[in-house]
Structure formats: C-alpha cells, structure tokens
Amino acid sequence: MKRLILATVLSLLGVAARAEVQIQQVTSPAGINAWLVEEREIPFVALEIYFKGGTSLDEPGKRGATNLMMGLLEEGSGEMTAQDFQRERESLAASYGFDAYDDGVSVSAKFLTENRDDAVALLRQALVAPRFDQDAIDRVKGQVLAGIASRKTDPNRIAGDSFYSEAYGDHPYGTDDSGTEETIRALTQDDIFEAYRNALVEGRAYVSAVGDINAEELGEVIDTLLSGLPEDGPAVPGAVDFGLKGGATIVDFATPQSVILFGHAGIDRDDPDFFAAYVLNTILGGNGPQSILMNEVREKRGLTYGIYTYLVDKDYSNMWLGSVATANEKVGETIDVILDNWARVATVGVSQEELDSAKTYLTGSYPLRFDGNEEIAGIMVGMQVQGLPPEYVVERNAYIEAVTLEDINRVAQRLLNPDALHFTIVGQPEGVDEAMLTDAGEE
C-alpha cells in the first residue's frame, strides 16, 4: 500500500453553516499537497484543482490561447471524441468544469462515491491526453468569437476593456483573456498544445476536496490525476503598477444610461493594513445597504440602482475599483458625489457606528460562504493560493473584530486618494468636468 503522510489535522469548530469542519493537510504518495474535509453524510466528492499562471501565460500574439485551450479539455481525449466523452461523463453522473482566469486555471469535479474510480479516470484522460481535434477547435473558436462580438455591444465589457487597457498597457492584464478576433482566428492546434503544456503544470497545482473520501484515497486520486503533467512551466509575468492617473475617459456609446468603472491602486493581500482596508471598503462601497456610497448616491439622490466598490488583489498588481450606472444626464453629478465622499472619508474618516455595522455584516455573512461541498473546496484552494493557513477559517472573524476606528481612519488617509481616481465612462454622459478629461489626456 502506498504510504500517505497526514501532516496535520485541525478541528475547526464553530464554522457556522457546518456544525464541525475538519481540514486535513494531505500529502500524496507522489508528494503533492492538498487540503481535505471529509464529509461522509452524502456519497459524493467535490474536487478543486487550481494551477497558478493562467491566461497571463499566453505567448505574445497568442492572446486567448489558454482560455480556448481550457474550453477544449472536455471536447475529446484519448480515444474518445467530444461526443464519446460527454456520453461517458453523463453515464457516470459526473460533472467537470474547466475555467481560465488571469492568474490561474481551475478544474472542478463532482462525482459519486460509487463511480469515483471511473470518474477520476475519465478526468485524468481529459487532463493528460487531450486531443484538441481541429473540428473541436473550430467549434469552440466560433463560441469564443461570438463572445468577442457580443463584448463589443456590452457597455460593461467595453468599460472594463478600456479601463484595463489604459491601466496595464502591454501587460496581460491590459487585454481580455479571451483574446481578439484576430488572435483567435490565427491560433493553430500547435498553439493550443503549447498553451496546455504551459498552463497545466503539476508544480503549480493547488488541490482541495470535500466529501466522501479519506486522506489515503484522496492521495491516490491526486496522483492519478496529476502524474504525467509537466513539473514546471514558463516564467510568469512580473509585477506591474496600476498605470492610470486621475481623470476621466469617455467611450462614446449610444445608450440612455452610462456605465462607469472607476478606481485607483489598491493594497496587497499581505499588507498589514489589508484587513482595515477590507473593512473600510465595506463601509465605503461594499455589499449591503450600510455603504456610504449606496446611501449617498442611491438613497439620498436616486442617481442609480446600485453602486459598489471592491478590492482587487491580483498576483501582479492590485486595485481599488468601483462601478455604477446612471442616466447620461446624471453622470456629472454622480461622479461629483463619489469624489466628495471619497475625499471626505479620506480626510474625516468614518464613525464608530459605521465600523460596528460593517463588522456585524462581515462576520455574520462569512459562515454563509461555507454552504456546500463545492463552495468549501473552492474556498480551501483559494486559501492555499493566497498562502493562508487552515486556521484562517476560524481566525478570520477575529481579524475583522480587531480592526479599530483608529486603524480604519489611518488606512483611509493612507489609501483613499480622490485625485488619483480614474473614471471610465461608456455612454453619452453629460456634466463631466472638462478638467478631468484634460487631466486624463484622453477623450
């Protein structure tokens, strides 16, 4: 019997939605690490594998290759055509998901205990023996091209494309990872295989599982799935600064309502002030009716149905972003309200009542994320990628509670900079300060 090392077993009592959650740190016989939560009540397993690198590994001129490749993993492998593969997957009552992101690609799987060996074998075939047949490539290319065409008519996507392009230029973050019509049409089968070898790298894999499986069984599953993949891959992109200065960019688009994406540089996940910034964002514009911007922009002035801000922590850069949509004739007023409140919070700070309300919301909503095996598997992979320990699950709310009013207001002064906010507006806005357009150097 293969030897399995169980490094640590941690009892995580009190993780709300589950009466008890135990995260086991597992090392497979081949030396691949994983996290496991055994849940024997239902005879199925949710498995999550994340490979760091992602679409940022696209070769020059091959933008969209990684995204296209991930869409092809279920389109035939080994001796099976796409149709054969789908019939076999359905007969096993298994489901697989293959997704691509800027900083990683993910493989999600769910299968019944009674079909585990066959379901894992089929998934392994997709991972280690993809066919990338030309007819499948052409078919999935068509789907991607349809998405690209649709993107050109979606003001939200146009705003994102414009904002990221100006912020990151030639860095992979500066272009949509699904590629352009030109790059997609030019991709060859060889390009897809190269993207596959670059992205699915054993040495960059993070694994978690939740369900009816023990540590020894999971170790065997991991080695079955990942053995044979490259141990290392190409260099990842370096860090890149957020390159947009304060001001505004207008993208003319015929619509009665403008879409606005705004933001400036953010904060690293490893920064000691991250939790204070996280709570501050909830107060300023995070989810929930307690946010300042929701109150000022929507409730008091009726300028929008919703406005949100969020911290974006990517592997090579970070941002503090926000989004809102409003009638064209209300754009100028909406931007003024955002800037006024961004400046007010930076200089005056927030109240103890606002801080207490945000803490109650954040600590109360956190357990709801653990509502399901699939969700827990995804959370555990995310924690590993971020370098967090298993204890974080029970310690996270204590970090939130430890944030003081002094912390919040110091961090607000440090990070919130209304002069650095850039607004990308897609529509036919009215009332935008001309000086903002001049400062941005764009129109």
Side-chain angles (χ1 to χ4, degrees), residues 406-424:
E406 181 181 6
D407 294 332
I408 288 286
N409 292 334
R410 173 180 54 78
V411 171
Q413 190 171 25
R414 172 193 165 194
L415 296 178
L416 295 180
N417 183 359
D419 292 336
L421 272 182
H422 190 91
F423 294 79
T424 296

Side-chain angles (χ1 to χ4, degrees), residues 9 24 34 68 73 94 107 113 117 136 248 251 253 288 306 314 368 379:
V9 177
Q24 303 177 47
L68 181 62
L73 288 178
V107 177
T113 301
D117 289 346
V251 180
F253 189 80
K314 291 178 175 289
L368 302 179
I379 289 171

Side-chain angles (χ1 to χ4, degrees), residues 38-258:
E38 284 191 52
E39 175 54 70
R40 297 291 189 173
E41 292 184 3
I42 304 175
F44 90 98
V45 175
L47 180 71
E48 190 77 17
I49 306 172
Y50 183 91
F51 299 88
K52 287 196 76 170
T55 61
S56 291
L57 296 173
D58 280 344
E59 298 288 343
K62 310 294 182 185
R63 195 59 170 149
T66 303
N67 179 65
L68 181 62
M69 178 274 295
M70 291 300 290
L72 285 161
L73 288 178
E74 216 172 8
E75 295 292 329
S77 55
E79 299 300 319
M80 293 182 179
T81 65
Q83 293 74 25
D84 295 335
F85 187 91
Q86 296 301 335
R87 277 194 292 268
E88 180 66 10
R89 182 189 59 74
E90 290 174 6
S91 74
L92 295 171
S95 68
Y96 309 128
F98 305 95
D99 293 302
Y101 311 96
D102 283 343
D103 297 326
V105 296
S106 69
V107 177
S108 307
K110 291 188 293 185
F111 43 81
L112 298 170
T113 301
E114 64 184 271
N115 295 333
R116 183 173 65 214
D117 289 346
D118 290 337
V120 169
L122 185 63
L123 180 57
R124 170 180 166 75
Q125 179 178 286
L127 295 180
V128 304
R131 293 163 60 105
F132 301 138
D133 291 335
Q134 190 60 52
D135 62 336
I137 292 175
D138 293 340
R139 182 170 59 253
V140 178
K141 270 188 177 183
Q143 297 167 1
V144 173
L145 289 169
I148 292 172
S150 175
R151 200 166 77 210
K152 295 177 181 177
T153 64
D154 182 343
N156 290 289
R157 299 297 299 270
I158 294 171
D161 288 348
S162 176
F163 188 91
Y164 278 79
S165 174
E166 291 188 274
Y168 293 113
D170 293 335
H171 189 278
Y173 291 167
T175 53
D176 190 278
D177 60 8
S178 59
T180 65
E181 183 175 336
E182 180 182 14
T183 62
I184 291 300
R185 290 192 186 283
L187 289 173
T188 67
Q189 187 184 53
D190 287 344
D191 295 328
I192 303 303
F193 272 110
E194 183 176 25
Y196 161 74
R197 290 189 293 270
N198 289 346
L200 272 67
V201 172
E202 179 197 313
R204 293 176 178 167
Y206 297 81
V207 184
S208 68
V210 180
D212 186 22
I213 189 169
N214 64 33
E216 182 176 356
E217 294 165 338
L218 176 59
E220 294 176 352
V221 165
I222 295 169
D223 288 350
T224 297
L225 290 174
L226 302 183
S227 63
L229 294 177
E231 293 184 0
D232 201 3
V236 297
V240 58
D241 291 332
F242 180 83
L244 264 174
K245 62 181 181 179
T249 301
I250 296 174
V251 180
D252 184 67
F253 189 80
T255 175
Q257 178 171 273
S258 291

